[in-house]
Amino acid sequence: MSAGLTYRMGRIFGRDGRAMVLPVDHGLMLGRVPGLEDPRALVQIAADAGCDGLLMSLGLARATAETFAGRGTPARLLTLDTLLREDEQDAGTGSAVVSVRQAAVLGADAVKLLMAWDVPAAEQAAATRRIAAVVEEAARWEIPVMVEPTTLRAPRNEQTVELEVHAARIAMELGADIIKMAYPGSASIMAALRAELGLPIVILGGPRLSTSADLVRLVDEAMAAGASGIVIGRQVWQREPRERLAVMKALVEVVHGRLPADDAIEGLLPVA
Amino acid sequence: MSAGLTYRMGRIFGRDGRAMVLPVDHGLMLGRVPGLEDPRALVQIAADAGCDGLLMSLGLARATAETFAGRGTPARLLTLDTLLREDEQDAGTGSAVVSVRQAAVLGADAVKLLMAWDVPAAEQAAATRRIAAVVEEAARWEIPVMVEPTTLRAPRNEQTVELEVHAARIAMELGADIIKMAYPGSASIMAALRAELGLPIVILGGPRLSTSADLVRLVDEAMAAGASGIVIGRQVWQREPRERLAVMKALVEVVHGRLPADDAIEGLLPVA
Amino acid sequence: MSAGLTYRMGRIFGRDGRAMVLPVDHGLMLGRVPGLEDPRALVQIAADAGCDGLLMSLGLARATAETFAGRGTPARLLTLDTLLREDEQDAGTGSAVVSVRQAAVLGADAVKLLMAWDVPAAEQAAATRRIAAVVEEAARWEIPVMVEPTTLRAPRNEQTVELEVHAARIAMELGADIIKMAYPGSASIMAALRAELGLPIVILGGPRLSTSADLVRLVDEAMAAGASGIVIGRQVWQREPRERLAVMKALVEVVHGRLPADDAIEGLLPVA
Amino acid sequence: MSAGLTYRMGRIFGRDGRAMVLPVDHGLMLGRVPGLEDPRALVQIAADAGCDGLLMSLGLARATAETFAGRGTPARLLTLDTLLREDEQDAGTGSAVVSVRQAAVLGADAVKLLMAWDVPAAEQAAATRRIAAVVEEAARWEIPVMVEPTTLRAPRNEQTVELEVHAARIAMELGADIIKMAYPGSASIMAALRAELGLPIVILGGPRLSTSADLVRLVDEAMAAGASGIVIGRQVWQREPRERLAVMKALVEVVHGRLPADDAIEGLLPVA
Amino acid sequence: MSAGLTYRMGRIFGRDGRAMVLPVDHGLMLGRVPGLEDPRALVQIAADAGCDGLLMSLGLARATAETFAGRGTPARLLTLDTLLREDEQDAGTGSAVVSVRQAAVLGADAVKLLMAWDVPAAEQAAATRRIAAVVEEAARWEIPVMVEPTTLRAPRNEQTVELEVHAARIAMELGADIIKMAYPGSASIMAALRAELGLPIVILGGPRLSTSADLVRLVDEAMAAGASGIVIGRQVWQREPRERLAVMKALVEVVHGRLPADDAIEGLLPVA
């Protein structure tokens, strides 16, 4: 691994190879999102709570430079693309909108791209080319590339999981350094995929709101099954402030294996 | 032939002009494929078994650099493109996703591109432009270009063969250095094509699983008819581990003409 | 201030605007230097001792990437140039040997250049051009530029100080972000210069070995007079291991104003 | 270490981290040299004798591409520069004459540059800039850079050794991957330097002809003291053909620690 | 005139084609200069006093961006070069150190270069090439170029004036947009030169300190003879604060012809 890649992967995953990353890049694709009404404040809260990284778009990353202007602050992962859709059933049009060079200028530690796979072949091909171009460019900057194999259409089912796991393999072959994906639902699939890819896999949360306790349990299971961390946003910050903070801190502890899930759950505030 | 091309063609085809190349690049186009659940281990097995080369995508090539970090290790051929299809009847959308420059940086010995030909003229034209652009770029790096004329739709028949042979001639005219294609079915067609193209032709295997013995016999026939080697994957590694290894070794011997096909077959394990 | 500059200046100077930087880049200009026989180990010791930054050349920065691969590790400042001299009286030939782009790839937080000023006008002009070119390039990468106005010929005297202060002003006009220079000898000169330049000034140590206590006192005086930190190497690491570590830690405390100089000195080991 | 660097360093130094490299690049700087009257034949002999690598200039590397066109053939290291001198006392004018890109095109495994250090500061500065520029370019191609710190003027003495060791340290700081230098004369200096630099050091031979037995003994001592191999030419090929071959083979065995020096010497032909 | 040039020339010279520009760029060439101890404060004072423009180097222009962040603030002219001399008799070594691109990035309204002419032909040639290169580059950015024909050696005399007028004509031929020069001493020479060049000429002050009244009279004479404005620094700001401000305001009025010189002088503070 090159010196730059070693440095940046280490900034994200630390000595234990694990990371609790909070994504707050939703505005780029979704515009106004409940829970992200004050994104700059939320970024500061996450930094203070001990999150290992923040996933942000360019605008928010620039606006919060001050929060990260120190050592011991979280890593920053920069979202490079967006996907614009007619409606929930539309495959959408994906577009890379930020260059790897801009990530290097900002001092971001990784770049991140979507890989929606329940879409027509032409859109798959376009996503593949976008990812491949970023992989080549990122190699010049020695910046890791996170790819997110995903499906767009609800509800999730066995085919969804199969498609995402399938796309994750393609992402590895394209040269991704980190895979961000939904928990495939069982520890055995997770462990097998981790072994197959040979890359760190971080688990996303998605829009379905569960209780804080369920969320902590899911993360605990994923970590036990070989995940290298999480990139869970809405399920964290779409809660009222005190619970939001408690969940952040619980997830940091559970991801790093410093607290059993049950103890972490006990420490959460009662959901009124 | 330029110094770089001489060197790299020699690394693939050796003194006898023959090569047993194991393709393990399927994940890029097909995602998860049975037999490729642990691609890094398989690459090491192939290297130890004496394969002359591995055909890989970028991600796997990077992940296995250590295996090739020596002299006497197999050559590496890098897959530059992918083809994404709606279904088995779709012509698909081909895309070059890796640059020749990346092959030069990795130290790969050749680059490889698809040339699907039972597709609409517009897609044929796009494939032609992709191949031509890589041929021009590869000349600057003195890296050989392998082109794979192929048909996408099953079942195969006489028209299929004719179309592939026809496309092979176009590939030669475009500047390909090596042709990878299905065995055209008869020694006479094979010999005539070899004479016409004046290029090494390597035989692919495809998805149809035959017995190990049949596979060895087919390869033997192809070599006798003028093939320069094989690039057969699924028919090799979609077998249980001991047979997989035995087939690899048998094919290496047969390709290089060091063992009669019958003796090689006899050395294979009994298929339980 | 641009987002990248804010981030990187904050990584060096932290919340209190102060930094204890250990320079270990001497090998680039001086070759073997007593105390730097095991530069990789020394870098690790400095990181563990809580130094805010390390000033290194490219080779050492690459070789120690692992040490910095985390959050909360020291900042890295990259030396871009060297100065080669016939003898102690020669003005020398300065050369930029590392590009700002390489600093960006490594993830370094600043770049550093010499500005020797007791040299002929032609060499001054060459240094000026080198600095100006790096300032322009660094602006594109939003990486801060540290410039070191200095005199080459011993002994130091009033003219020396005047010349360095004069050069510091020119460095500011050229667009330097940080000034590294010898303590100008009096608190009043130091304070006036700080006000005039409007830039952080970090104090260097030079080759003259004083006692650890004297060193701590000098640093304390400089900080009180407006310095933003120190970049002192030989006076720190040209001591036996236990004293070296004690001095590092004492200087970190004094620079950040967390310990009165007298208490810090008391905590030093007795010099046998 | 990047994938390309891993691959190429492995091709030179193999699994045991040791390499017997035969330099035959002398013609670029010295023109006609006794023993190199038929350089193409000599390259073939070296390849057949099991040398791990050949150090060549561009012309010879192109002319001998056929010899290396296979797997299991020696690595090729490409000399990028030359030094032209008025006479033996002249500091000379060094020039880079081959680009790293050409090494990538040829498929060479490393590039090599001189670093003459008993020269005026201006020439030192020029050499420093040449090396630094190649280091930056080579990083883009993931090709290792060998630097040769050396003194030009005979006779060798303690100052010579000190100057070369000093320059070796500077080469490390500039980002060299491999150091080629004269054996510093004692096992303790050698071992200390190896530890200080953290880089493989390969020992050169120079023009002084000793007996084959003495040469083997020197190499044995150097390897025991921590050298990673040798790059010895004239002392090998300025012997009559049978002895030349015997010395090559003996050195390969001794470098790789497969034969005690005494046994290797016994196997040499009697010097008539 | 191109749209960009029209805009920027208008920002400097306004509706009446006249400009009172205060130069504060001396630090770049001279280091510390009496009167410029707090350059940022002086820039603010000049802006508040109604100066039409400030001539600054890059570092100061960056540091004072806030002062200019509005409409109705003074124009900024950026000094691109410096001249380093052994002593007062040395012809010096001129160097362009800031690019036109940086002026465009800052939003500066003009760039400025020296043209010392009592120097050897080689240095004249170098200055000519520097100016010509900037003229070409500036045309791409549509930024006006101010050139300052000057003599370096004191005392001034008829030959000095002749040489500067001569150089001014060469500057016009090179493509300068504005000429900055010493008042040629007589209204008739001034008027003739203005007519010959067809370019705005702005008058510099130089190091010789006269009384404020004499300065105002000189400026009045120059304006009457066809000057388009002044670029006078030391004669303005090397006075005590209250007089400095009074002189600034008087010169603004006189340059724009809004107050007869005698009235302006009357309004000056008595020189204690």
Side-chain angles (χ1 to χ4, degrees), chain B residues 65-154:
Chain B
E66 197 68 44
T67 295
F68 298 89
R71 298 194 310 281
T73 59
R76 289 176 300 170
L77 301 87
L78 196 67
T79 296
L80 299 194
D81 63 349
T82 184
L83 180 82
L84 292 158
R85 306 165 72 188
E86 295 297 317
D87 54 53
E88 294 258 317
Q89 295 312 307
D90 179 30
T93 304
S95 299
V97 290
V98 177
S99 68
V100 182
R101 198 189 68 85
Q102 286 175 285
V105 168
L106 269 173
D109 298 298
V111 294
K112 188 259 171 188
L113 285 161
L114 269 181
M115 185 181 181
W117 215 244
D118 58 339
V119 298
E123 182 60 28
Q124 288 180 332
T128 304
R129 287 194 299 270
R130 281 197 299 275
I131 294 167
V134 164
V135 164
E136 174 159 15
E137 188 66 10
R140 291 185 51 216
W141 303 110
E142 303 185 3
I143 288 182
V145 179
M146 176 186 282
V147 175
E148 178 180 344
T150 191
T151 49
L152 299 172
R153 293 187 191 77

Side-chain angles (χ1 to χ4, degrees), chain C residues 30 32 40 57 59 86 95 99, chain D residues 121 129 136 166 173 195-196:
Chain C
L30 304 177
R32 303 189 99 181
R40 290 172 302 284
S57 60
E86 296 296 317
S95 299
S99 67
Chain D
R129 287 193 299 268
E136 175 158 16
H166 168 87
E173 299 284 1
E196 177 172 336

Side-chain angles (χ1 to χ4, degrees), chain B residues 154-220:
Chain B
R156 298 181 59 78
N157 53 32
E158 256 178 59
Q159 274 80 40
T160 308
V161 170
E162 200 176 328
L163 206 54
E164 289 175 354
V165 165
H166 169 85
R169 174 59 191 263
I170 295 174
M172 180 276 264
E173 300 286 358
L174 282 169
D177 299 293
I178 309 168
I179 302 294
K180 174 190 172 194
M181 65 189 302
Y183 182 58
S186 87
S188 62
I189 301 179
M190 177 74 214
L193 184 63
R194 175 69 184 78
E196 176 174 339
L197 300 187
L199 297 175
I201 300 173
V202 288
I203 301 301
L204 58 80
R208 307 159 311 283
L209 195 59
S210 54
T211 68
S212 296
D214 285 351
L215 177 61
V216 169
R217 267 186 216 102
L218 177 81
V219 168
D220 187 55

Side-chain angles (χ1 to χ4, degrees), chain D residues 1-270:
Chain D
M1 203 182 276
S2 64
L5 208 57
T6 297
Y7 172 64
R8 294 182 176 95
M9 287 296 274
R11 281 185 48 82
I12 299 168
F13 289 105
R15 299 294 177 205
D16 65 357
R18 296 173 164 215
M20 186 284 198
V21 175
L22 192 74
V24 290
D25 65 331
H26 301 66
L28 177 60
M29 194 185 299
L30 304 177
R32 305 188 93 183
V33 179
L36 281 184
E37 291 82 2
D38 189 349
R40 288 171 302 283
L42 180 58
V43 164
Q44 187 63 57
I45 288 165
D48 294 341
C51 293
D52 297 301
L54 273 292
L55 176 66
M56 294 185 283
S57 58
L58 181 69
L60 188 54
R62 283 186 181 163
T64 57
E66 197 67 46
T67 295
F68 298 89
R71 299 193 311 281
T73 58
R76 291 175 299 170
L77 301 88
L78 196 66
T79 296
L80 299 193
D81 64 347
T82 185
L83 180 82
L84 293 159
R85 305 166 72 188
E86 297 293 318
D87 54 54
E88 293 258 318
Q89 294 312 306
D90 180 31
T93 304
S95 301
V97 291
V98 177
S99 68
V100 181
R101 202 190 69 86
Q102 286 175 285
V105 168
L106 268 174
D109 298 297
V111 294
K112 188 257 171 189
L113 286 161
L114 269 181
M115 185 182 180
W117 215 244
D118 58 339
V119 298
E123 182 60 27
Q124 288 179 333
T128 303
R129 287 193 299 268
R130 279 197 300 275
I131 293 167
V134 164
V135 163
E136 175 158 16
E137 187 67 10
R140 293 183 51 215
W141 302 110
E142 303 184 2
I143 290 182
V145 179
M146 176 186 283
V147 174
E148 178 181 343
T150 191
T151 48
L152 299 173
R153 293 187 192 77
R156 298 181 58 79
N157 53 32
E158 256 180 59
Q159 274 82 39
T160 308
V161 170
E162 201 177 327
L163 205 54
E164 289 175 355
V165 164
H166 168 87
R169 174 61 187 263
I170 294 174
M172 179 277 263
E173 299 284 1
L174 283 168
D177 299 292
I178 309 166
I179 301 294
K180 175 191 173 194
M181 64 188 303
Y183 183 59
S186 88
S188 64
I189 300 180
M190 177 73 214
L193 184 63
R194 177 68 184 77
E196 177 172 336
L197 300 187
L199 297 176
I201 301 174
V202 289
I203 300 301
L204 58 80
R208 306 158 314 282
L209 196 58
S210 53
T211 67
S212 296
D214 285 352
L215 177 61
V216 169
R217 267 188 216 101
L218 177 81
V219 168
D220 186 55
E221 179 183 328
M223 296 304 298
S228 295
I230 59 173
V231 184
I232 298 179
R234 280 169 290 188
Q235 295 222 38
V236 171
W237 41 254
Q238 284 182 342
R239 301 185 193 272
E240 60 80 26
R242 282 203 306 168
E243 191 182 355
R244 181 177 69 183
L245 185 60
V247 171
M248 272 184 209
K249 290 181 172 174
L251 290 177
V252 168
E253 296 305 307
V254 168
V255 161
H256 287 287
R258 294 192 296 244
L259 201 64
D262 288 344
D263 294 7
I265 289 164
E266 209 162 303
L268 292 172
L269 296 179

Side-chain angles (χ1 to χ4, degrees), chain E residues 24 53 56 66 78 109 126 148 158 170 183 203 230 236 262:
Chain E
V24 290
M56 293 184 284
E66 197 67 43
L78 196 67
D109 298 297
E148 178 180 345
E158 255 178 60
I170 294 174
Y183 183 58
I203 301 301
I230 60 173
V236 171
D262 287 345

